[in-house]
Amino acid sequence: MLHGQCRGQIDHVAPLTLTLACLTIQYLFFFYMKANRTNSPEWNCIHTNDSATMFPTNFAWGAATSAYQIEGGWDVDDKGPSIWDTFCHEGGRLVFEGQSGDVTCNSYELWEEDLRCIRQLGLTHYRLSLSWSRLLPEGITQHVNQKGLRYYNKVINDLLASDVLPMVTLYHFDLPQALQDQGGWKSPEIAAIFDSYARFCFETFGDRVKLWITLNEPYVCAKLGHEDGIFAPGVKEPGMAAYLVGHNMLRGHARAWHSYNVLYRAKQGGSVSLAINSDWAEPLDPASPDDTAATERYLAFTLGWFAWPLFVTGDYPEVMRSSIEVRSKELGYQEGSRLPRFSKDEPSLLGTADFFALNYYTSRRVKQGECCPGVLGLKSDQDAEGVVDPSWPVCGVSWLAVVPDGLRKLLKYVKDTFNNPAVYITENGFSQVGPVDMEDVQRCGFYHDIIQEVARALREDGVDVRGYFAWSLLDNFEWADGFSVRFGLFHVDFSRPERPRTAYRSGREYAGIISKYRSQTMVNT
């Protein structure tokens, strides 16, 4: 999932202080949302209004998870280690209270419980990721783990038997450690290795899977994993490694898309994309040319970094490249371009997305950067600072300002900038911290508001939105935040070995939203 520009960078305060802060935030948020809500004093998400007819009959109503965050079973049934196994075991000081995904929701053994939750919600789609090292312990197709293969075949078959369509992500941050030992995403050879893995998955599961995501949030992998070093694999090479990693991830994606297009599309009929995370961004001062230019750079270095090559030119945004080159000259860097160039001898990137997969969580007001003068780094290259508008409520973690209409604005921007693609909102959610609140009325209100904004984007702005996936089906291991942050529609009691799942109120109401909209669209067809 997305943790925004400051993902994982929250202070680990004393438990009592954290609890009081959380209760204060929830209290203030309650009255903010109550003051701004007109339809439901009870915050019941099931409203009878015209928006119920605003979603097409084939709209995908989903929830999302990822393998490392829910599966557990990190070393069972011949699974190989991933970079997150290594990061948590050897660098656990960077993870909240030294926690790990060794067991987490234990979905590897409790898949039937997850399926029960999926059915209870009435989902039409479920987004999951495959653990590369569970299928291929060494990362290469010469060694296939049959137990991992059986697990994912069962998951996919059970979903289809329940009339739920899978959206499958090939890579969600958990590179096999064996490949990291060979250079990981910094190695030029990784693109061909990823393509081989993708072709294995297309061949094995593609007769049943029709929606594929090659890579989840390459920005996060590049910046947090290779610039800041706060995500696996914990590399800190500011201003260098992130650009190389992002470049190789795009190369791997392009190869995988072309492989599917040539070898599998005709017989399988599926679609392939990659999931891009982005905030919505607006100038802090709309009248300021500096803030306007900073906003352009802010979006170019996040959304544009990975969307521009796929949907616009086949290359990076010009403002991104020029900003990096200007900063290199200012700092006397003379070892060539830090932002690599795509080779004409490799598969083209332009057009290698059959839909736009968008992960959205929050928004920012943007101003000219004031950080890191004279320092080589992505942030100084970007030269833009995103700030939270004080009028926006913040849920749970400090970076997650709740801005539902930011999603609508971002969807309109995607339509206008990237040639009106079909869009799936592949992640979006609302966090909870501190004491567990099963009657999570704030999150109920959030889902009502955000889905209303999706409806407006679809009908009023003409955005071709095909589906919405809530993050997340379950409370899970939230990367550097461990289990301290909860996004689930179902609460998981991690203190008990059975890992019982219990629906939050927001889960029950999300199920009601889905039921209402699906029944309404069926009536009108």
Side-chain angles (χ1 to χ4, degrees), residues 333-353:
Y333 181 84
Q334 299 177 345
E335 299 178 29
S337 175
R338 290 184 288 127
L339 183 64
R341 295 187 180 276
F342 296 106
S343 170
K344 294 181 180 178
D345 297 328
E346 290 198 303
S348 171
L349 271 161
L350 186 60
T352 60

Side-chain angles (χ1 to χ4, degrees), residues 117-378:
C117 296
I118 291 166
R119 288 170 171 165
Q120 186 174 334
L121 292 176
L123 302 181
T124 65
H125 291 66
Y126 177 62
R127 183 183 170 209
L128 66 145
S129 78
L130 305 177
S131 168
W132 190 342
S133 60
R134 193 179 298 283
L135 285 168
L136 308 176
E138 298 167 3
I140 55 177
T141 55
Q142 286 83 346
H143 177 194
V144 177
N145 179 12
Q146 295 299 321
K147 294 175 183 177
L149 197 64
R150 284 196 294 272
Y151 172 71
Y152 290 118
N153 271 320
K154 175 174 173 53
V155 169
I156 291 167
N157 291 339
D158 286 351
L159 287 169
L160 293 173
S162 301
D163 293 323
V164 178
L165 300 180
M167 174 183 278
V168 173
T169 303
L170 297 176
Y171 182 76
H172 199 126
F173 302 168
D174 50 350
L175 189 72
Q177 183 61 43
L179 296 181
Q180 182 63 34
D181 292 342
Q182 301 171 35
W185 287 108
K186 290 174 58 181
S187 168
E189 286 75 29
I190 193 67
I193 295 172
F194 179 76
D195 179 36
S196 179
Y197 163 59
R199 283 188 278 115
F200 168 79
C201 294
F202 297 150
E203 180 70 31
T204 304
F205 307 115
D207 58 326
R208 290 153 290 160
V209 176
K210 305 306 175 186
L211 289 171
W212 293 97
I213 301 291
T214 54
L215 306 164
N216 182 73
E217 297 181 353
Y219 173 91
V220 171
C221 179
K223 184 177 186 296
L224 276 64
H226 296 82
E227 171 100 359
D228 304 331
I230 59 174
F231 272 29
V235 174
K236 291 185 179 181
E237 297 178 5
M240 301 294 295
Y243 298 133
L244 179 59
V245 165
H247 190 75
N248 286 332
M249 296 185 90
L250 283 169
R251 291 176 56 237
H253 163 79
R255 284 177 177 247
W257 186 92
H258 282 286
S259 289
Y260 189 87
N261 196 49
V262 172
L263 301 175
Y264 301 103
R265 189 183 301 277
K267 62 182 178 181
Q268 294 183 357
S271 299
V272 181
S273 189
L274 85 169
I276 303 173
N277 62 281
S278 184
D279 304 339
W280 171 241
E282 297 177 348
L284 180 62
D285 178 1
S288 166
D290 287 344
D291 289 0
T292 299
T295 302
E296 181 184 4
R297 292 193 302 275
Y298 188 96
L299 287 169
F301 274 78
T302 50
L303 182 65
W305 184 355
F306 298 98
W308 211 265
L310 273 60
F311 292 95
V312 183
T313 64
D315 199 359
Y316 300 113
E318 181 55 37
V319 68
M320 181 181 182
R321 187 175 294 282
S322 62
S323 296
I324 294 170
E325 291 178 355
V326 166
R327 187 52 55 101
S328 293
K329 290 179 181 178
E330 290 176 353
L331 299 178
Y333 181 84
Q334 299 177 345
E335 299 178 29
S337 175
R338 290 184 288 127
L339 183 64
R341 295 187 180 276
F342 296 106
S343 170
K344 294 181 180 178
D345 297 328
E346 290 198 303
S348 171
L349 271 161
L350 186 60
T352 60
D354 300 320
F355 55 92
F356 200 111
L358 178 65
N359 293 358
Y360 169 82
Y361 285 88
T362 190
S363 296
R364 290 293 184 266
R365 306 288 191 201
V366 180
K367 63 180 180 177
Q368 181 82 18
E370 300 175 353
C371 174
C372 312
V375 176
L376 203 66
L378 193 154

Side-chain angles (χ1 to χ4, degrees), residues 31 105 122 147 206 220 257 261 335 371 380-381 388 406 446 461 464:
F31 284 102
C105 305
K147 294 175 183 177
V220 171
W257 186 92
N261 196 49
E335 299 178 29
C371 174
S380 62
D381 292 336
V388 174
F446 165 80
D461 302 331
D464 185 10

Side-chain angles (χ1 to χ4, degrees), residues 30 42-43 437-446 505:
F30 176 88
E42 295 299 323
W43 290 24
D437 178 10
M438 297 304 297
E439 293 294 313
D440 54 344
V441 290
Q442 299 99 329
R443 187 153 46 197
C444 292
F446 165 80
R505 178 176 175 179

